[in-house]
Structures are given as C-alpha cells and as structure tokens.
Amino acid sequence: GFARQFQAMSALGRKGSGIFPFFAVDPRRDGAVEWVITSGQVGRNGPFYGVKLYPRLGYHPLRTELSPLFAFCAREGIPVTAHASWRGFPDGLPTFAEFGNPKHYRPILEGNPGLRINLAHFGDRSNEPGMIEAWGGAIAGLMRDFEGAYSDLSCYTHEAPLERYIARFQDLPNVRQRTMFGSDFNVLYFTEPCMTLDKYYRRFLETFGSRRLEEMASSVPRAFLGI
C-alpha cells in the first residue's frame, strides 16, 4: 500500500498540476528520514513539496531520529504538516493521542529557526472542550512566538467549534494571519455521510465571509508553502 501511494503521489507531483504532495515520514520506517534528506525528491522541485508527520500512529515528535529531519526542513525551507488534534487514526485507540499535543513542537521550533510547520486541526477533534482550549491555546502561543507556526481548520465541520475558534483564538497575535482553510474532505466523506463539500465550503463562507475565506484558502497557504 505504501509503495502504491508513493508511486501515485510521485506521478501527481511531477505533473505540475498545482498540487503539492507531502511525503509521510514515520521515523520507525527504515531509511525514511535519510531518504528525505538525500534523495533530492523533497523540496521546491518535487515531486514531494513537504513532509507530513502523524505522531498519533505511535511516535513522539521529539524522537531523536526526527532531529535531522527538522534541521533539514528548516535549512531548505521545506514545509512540514503535523497532525495536532486528540482524535484521528486509528480511531478509538487513544494510546498515543498525547503525541499530537502541539506543546511538543515548542523546543523543535526553538532549535530550528525558520522552520515552517502547520499544526493541523487547531487542536479540535478532541473529546473535551477543555482539551480543545489547551491544545488550541498552545498553537496560538506558538503562532505568537514563532514566525513559522501555522495551523488550519480542517475537520471543523460544525458551527459550534468554528464559533469557539473565532471567539477564543482568532484575534490573538498572528492567528488570523497563520490559519488556513482545510477540508479533510476525503476523510469526512466516510465519517460524516451527510456532509457534502459544497455544504462544508458554504459553512466557512457564511462564517468568515468571502474576503477572509480567500485569505485562508490562498494567501496564507502560499506563505506556508513559501510560494
């Protein structure tokens, strides 16, 4: 499965279609970090434009093997996206959910000036509102303190969490300028059958307005990608 996805995404990245594939790194996969650093296939010339991390699968972001990866991405201007919400895959098995806590990225950003990292989901998709506050607050703190800290609102499928984001976080320093629109619609298609892409988009449009949504879906992602 991994080899098939690798080949498909490589081909997609080479087409120059405006799609920017990210290479998924699991430090437990032999040679994964070394491949990113030495292959010449991750960076502005592709086919992979950035790196994706999913610590919830069982590895801590401060794991030693990831240190050279963060250093390389900071040095070469390669963007990183990391899953940063309590829920995710494998669903119903929260053994390693805490590994996605955005607070773990503070020493990473401190040690790698210039690193651009998207802490995806802005702390939502958790089971308790208090946890959302803590994780979202940690992301907002990173945005305040580091130029390369970004996030997105993928999986914000309902009005209540969007309203909570606006009331609690949006006007904090740099949050408005660093938060991207995101749909995760390939996941929502299976987890929320009544959710359509049009319905999802219109919820954001009605909540933020066309000008703000244009920033979230265009200028902010461009800044994160460095294009």
Side-chain angles (χ1 to χ4, degrees):
F2 182 84
R4 184 173 63 183
Q5 291 185 40
F6 174 85
Q7 293 167 2
M9 297 305 291
S10 295
L12 188 62
R14 290 190 177 97
K15 285 184 177 179
S17 57
I19 296 175
F20 302 89
F22 278 38
F23 181 75
V25 171
D26 187 324
R28 299 165 298 182
R29 184 182 295 277
D30 288 344
V33 171
E34 292 77 8
W35 185 86
V36 172
I37 295 172
T38 64
S39 69
Q41 296 191 59
V42 181
R44 189 172 295 275
N45 296 322
F48 295 96
Y49 200 83
V51 169
K52 175 67 183 289
L53 300 176
Y54 209 95
R56 198 181 191 281
L57 292 175
Y59 60 89
H60 199 285
L62 288 171
R63 191 177 174 121
T64 303
E65 294 91 333
L66 288 173
S67 295
L69 178 72
F70 291 125
F72 173 75
C73 290
R75 184 173 65 251
E76 299 297 326
I78 294 172
V80 177
T81 290
H83 183 80
S85 72
W86 177 265
R87 291 180 59 190
F89 297 102
D91 199 14
L93 296 173
T95 306
F96 302 109
E98 172 62 22
F99 286 2
N101 193 323
K103 71 178 184 181
H104 300 313
Y105 292 91
R106 179 167 289 275
I108 293 169
L109 285 162
E110 287 174 342
N112 297 279
L115 179 66
R116 296 196 309 278
I117 186 164
N118 169 31
L119 300 165
H121 310 298
F122 216 106
D124 197 35
R125 306 289 290 174
S126 64
N127 295 324
E128 302 177 12
M131 187 176 295
I132 298 172
E133 287 286 316
W135 287 33
I139 291 174
L142 293 174
M143 288 178 165
R144 178 195 63 215
D145 297 337
F146 301 98
E147 292 184 3
Y150 288 79
S151 191
D152 63 53
L153 297 180
S154 57
C155 283
Y156 273 64
T157 55
H158 304 290
E159 292 179 10
L162 281 174
E163 292 173 354
R164 182 171 55 244
Y165 161 81
I166 291 172
R168 175 66 181 85
F169 302 117
Q170 180 172 256
D171 292 328
L172 295 178
N174 298 323
V175 171
R176 187 186 296 263
Q177 294 82 4
R178 307 262 187 81
T179 303
M180 295 178 277
F181 168 80
S183 72
D184 247 8
F185 190 70
N186 58 327
V187 177
L188 300 179
Y189 182 81
F190 295 100
T191 60
E192 300 194 27
C194 64
M195 179 61 65
T196 67
L197 186 57
D198 181 68
K199 183 187 295 186
Y200 187 96
Y201 176 78
R202 288 186 179 279
R203 178 160 293 163
F204 273 77
L205 184 62
E206 293 168 0
T207 300
F208 292 101
S210 59
R211 182 174 179 180
R212 171 80 173 108
L213 184 55
E214 173 66 19
E215 294 174 351
M216 296 170 68
S218 181
S219 59
V220 181
R222 285 179 178 274
F224 168 64
L225 292 170
I227 59 175

